[in-house]
Amino acid sequence: MRPPLWLLPLLLFGSCGAAASLADSLPPPQNLKVHLYNAQQALRWDPVTLRNDTRPVFYQVQYRYSTSNNWYDVNKRDSSVDCTNLSSTECDFTANSLSKGFPRQFNISLRVRTKLEGLVSPWVTAPWFEHYRNATIGPPENIWVTPEEGSLIIRFSSPFDVPASVAFFSYYVYYWEKAGIQQVTRPFRNNFITLNDLKPLRVYCFQVKAELFLVKENISRSGHLSNISCSETTADASTRLQQVILIAVGTFLLLSVVVGACLFLVLKFRGLVKYWFHAPPSIPVQIEEYLKDPAQPILDALDKDSSPRDDAWDSVSIVSFPENDREAVLQSTLTQSTGPSHQPVDGAHSADVAADVSVRV
């Protein structure tokens, strides 16, 4: 049975009111934030909680370009990530390459809503953004320093890859001698630089900063400074020669001091040194054997082993005269040598004293 025609407007109004009440019962996400750091792109929001309902809620994210009025789901076909039915409060659509993801030079808008089975919340839209204009530029990465003679070679990589036709990076290096005045280089586009005219064997610290330039818009975005890194320069040829000379002179002086100290100690304590290094007296082997066994005829054997030359004896006569008779004896000796006659010598005046001494040679 069909309802009367006058009841149709009331029925239509009631169904619309019921749908509106269901939509209003599911709150939308709050505090939408677009996170843009280097190549990272992500949309974040606060989680939605329901009163008297413990069922998990899901989220749906859509995007559109400033040149279009149509909204599109963030799915794997368009952005390599599926954000049509998320349980988390983040949609990370960071591209792995320049050919994927949202174009970084386009204005993009994002919106998100809450879903629970057949219920949906109103859409909440995030502000427009363009990656190159709004992204935070971080410091260069993979910084590597090589010390040289009075210089430092610094190498690094860009914060993220950019197409040369759209943008490029320019770099600055802030450097200073430790506890010295800071200096800065001119902007350069290479991924390395050599800091020249540095003092040898000195510690220098530095930081590197990247600046993004947009080619068409002629706009620049300054990045953050890297962490402080320090390195010591190496010595040049003259400094190395000086080091060698100083080491040689120092070694010679040290050896001279050591030798002089040893000589002084030896001279001052030579008696003690002689006592320490003097070999103790030892008993001959034959005597030691005799002391161990006195019954052995060791002494006789030694006497038999001695050579006849060792047993040769010479007789020596020592004759002494009184001083008064020295001239008479001398004259008598001369007379005996010239003639055969011999005169007797008075015993009282001669007072000869003879002694035979046998000496063993």
Side-chain angles (χ1 to χ4, degrees), residues 37-57:
Y37 182 82
N38 288 343
Q40 299 177 9
Q41 297 177 341
L43 177 64
R44 299 169 182 171
W45 57 87
D46 293 341
V48 174
T49 56
L50 302 178
R51 292 179 298 178
N52 301 325
D53 197 337
T54 58
R55 291 177 297 173
V57 296

Side-chain angles (χ1 to χ4, degrees), residues 12-224:
L12 291 174
F13 178 79
S15 61
C16 292
S21 61
L22 290 176
D24 293 339
S25 64
L26 196 60
Q30 300 293 329
N31 297 326
L32 273 64
K33 297 178 181 179
V34 178
H35 175 73
L36 303 173
Y37 182 82
N38 288 343
Q40 299 177 9
Q41 297 177 341
L43 177 64
R44 299 169 182 171
W45 57 87
D46 293 341
V48 174
T49 56
L50 302 178
R51 292 179 298 178
N52 301 325
D53 197 337
T54 58
R55 291 177 297 173
V57 296
F58 297 91
Y59 307 95
Q60 180 183 3
V61 180
Q62 290 184 342
Y63 73 95
R64 77 180 182 92
Y65 297 111
S66 59
T67 56
S68 174
N69 294 325
N70 298 325
W71 290 90
Y72 305 95
D73 287 332
V74 178
N75 50 37
K76 291 185 177 181
R77 183 184 62 184
D78 297 333
S79 56
S80 301
V81 62
D82 188 3
C83 295
T84 58
N85 201 33
L86 289 174
S87 58
S88 63
T89 58
E90 181 184 43
C91 177
D92 189 351
F93 41 87
T94 302
N96 296 327
S97 63
L98 295 175
S99 60
K100 297 181 179 180
F102 299 131
R104 296 173 183 173
Q105 67 273 21
F106 285 8
N107 284 328
I108 300 173
S109 180
L110 298 171
R111 67 179 185 177
V112 61
R113 68 179 179 181
T114 310
K115 297 194 305 181
L116 178 62
E117 296 181 354
L119 301 177
V120 293
S121 70
W123 290 101
V124 180
T125 305
W128 290 91
F129 70 91
E130 180 182 339
H131 188 90
Y132 287 139
R133 290 175 178 267
N134 303 110
T136 300
I137 310 301
E141 301 177 348
N142 305 320
I143 298 176
W144 184 264
V145 58
T146 304
E148 295 289 344
E149 296 181 0
S151 63
L152 295 175
I153 301 177
I154 303 173
R155 296 180 176 88
F156 49 85
S157 59
S158 60
F160 58 95
D161 295 332
V162 294
S165 59
V166 178
F168 65 89
F169 281 107
S170 182
Y171 304 98
Y172 299 85
V173 176
Y174 299 82
Y175 66 98
W176 62 94
E177 186 179 351
K178 212 163 189 180
I181 301 176
Q182 188 183 78
Q183 304 180 60
V184 60
T185 63
R186 294 181 179 180
F188 58 96
R189 297 179 60 176
N190 296 326
N191 286 358
F192 68 91
I193 187 175
T194 302
L195 302 179
N196 294 312
D197 301 328
L198 304 181
K199 298 178 182 179
L201 298 178
R202 299 294 180 88
V203 177
Y204 285 85
C205 299
F206 63 90
Q207 291 178 289
V208 186
K209 184 182 74 172
E211 188 173 5
L212 179 65
F213 284 88
L214 302 180
V215 176
K216 296 181 179 180
E217 291 84 353
N218 196 21
I219 297 175
S220 64
R221 295 274 301 166
S222 181
H224 291 176

Side-chain angles (χ1 to χ4, degrees), residues 171-319:
Y171 304 98
Y172 299 85
V173 176
Y174 299 82
Y175 66 98
W176 62 94
E177 186 179 351
K178 212 163 189 180
I181 301 176
Q182 188 183 78
Q183 304 180 60
V184 60
T185 63
R186 294 181 179 180
F188 58 96
R189 297 179 60 176
N190 296 326
N191 286 358
F192 68 91
I193 187 175
T194 302
L195 302 179
N196 294 312
D197 301 328
L198 304 181
K199 298 178 182 179
L201 298 178
R202 299 294 180 88
V203 177
Y204 285 85
C205 299
F206 63 90
Q207 291 178 289
V208 186
K209 184 182 74 172
E211 188 173 5
L212 179 65
F213 284 88
L214 302 180
V215 176
K216 296 181 179 180
E217 291 84 353
N218 196 21
I219 297 175
S220 64
R221 295 274 301 166
S222 181
H224 291 176
L225 286 169
S226 65
N227 295 329
I228 297 177
S229 302
C230 297
S231 181
E232 183 180 5
T233 57
T234 60
D236 54 13
S238 60
T239 305
R240 285 197 297 266
L241 180 59
Q242 294 176 2
Q243 288 180 339
V244 171
I245 294 175
L246 291 176
I247 292 173
V249 172
T251 304
F252 176 75
L253 293 177
L254 180 61
L255 292 177
S256 301
V257 171
V258 172
V259 172
C262 293
L263 183 60
F264 172 77
L265 294 176
V266 169
L267 293 177
K268 185 175 182 179
F269 303 99
R270 58 183 176 181
L272 186 59
V273 173
K274 184 177 180 181
Y275 172 77
W276 283 346
F277 292 97
H278 180 70
S282 60
I283 302 174
V285 179
Q286 296 84 352
I287 303 300
E288 186 177 0
E289 293 179 357
Y290 173 76
L291 293 177
K292 290 181 180 179
D293 189 5
Q296 296 182 4
I298 298 177
L299 297 180
D300 295 340
L302 292 175
D303 189 35
K304 290 180 181 180
D305 293 339
S306 62
S307 60
R309 182 182 295 272
D310 295 337
D311 295 336
W313 295 83
D314 292 334
S315 297
V316 178
S317 298
I318 301 175
V319 180

